[in-house]
Amino acid sequence: DKYDFDKTLQKSTMFSPKTLYLNDTTSKFFHLLVQGLSYEEISEQINMSINSVRYYIKILYKELGVKNKASVILMYQNGDII
C-alpha cells in the first residue's frame, strides 16, 4: 500500500546513520591516513610539525570514535565516512 511505499522511499533516500561527514581539516588528515602515510610523511607533505600532525589526528580519532589508524581505514573501506 501507499504507506509501505512511502516508508521504502524514505529509507532509500536517507543517509545511513553511520555515515560521517568530516570538516576540511579532519578530512585532509583522514585522506592522508587512508593513503597509508605515516605521521612523519604527513608532516613533510603538508609542511606541519609532527606534533601538530599528532594533535589533529587525535582530534580525527575522537570525532570518529576510534583509537588507531587501522580503524580509520576500516571505516573508509566500509563507506562510513564521506
Side-chain angles (χ1 to χ4, degrees):
D1 72 355
K2 185 180 181 325
Y3 178 74
D4 289 336
F5 175 76
D6 288 343
K7 280 181 102 174
T8 303
L9 181 63
Q10 194 176 36
K11 285 181 185 175
S12 69
T13 58
M14 291 174 44
F15 291 110
S16 162
K18 288 174 51 180
T19 302
L20 299 171
Y21 295 89
L22 302 173
N23 67 38
D24 290 341
T25 303
T26 52
S27 179
K28 175 173 43 176
F29 287 96
F30 166 76
H31 287 289
L32 294 168
L33 277 178
V34 297
Q35 289 176 27
L37 298 178
S38 69
Y39 289 11
E40 187 174 330
E41 291 169 325
I42 293 170
S43 172
E44 291 170 3
Q45 185 166 336
I46 62 175
N47 197 28
M48 181 181 280
S49 77
I50 195 153
N51 287 333
S52 293
V53 168
R54 285 188 182 111
Y55 171 78
Y56 283 108
I57 289 177
K58 282 183 185 179
I59 291 172
L60 173 66
Y61 287 176
K62 186 175 180 179
E63 286 183 15
L64 298 179
V66 299
K67 296 185 182 204
N68 56 48
K69 183 178 178 177
S71 296
V72 174
I73 293 171
L74 184 61
M75 289 182 82
Y76 173 71
Q77 290 173 339
N78 289 337
D80 295 334
I81 302 173
I82 293 179

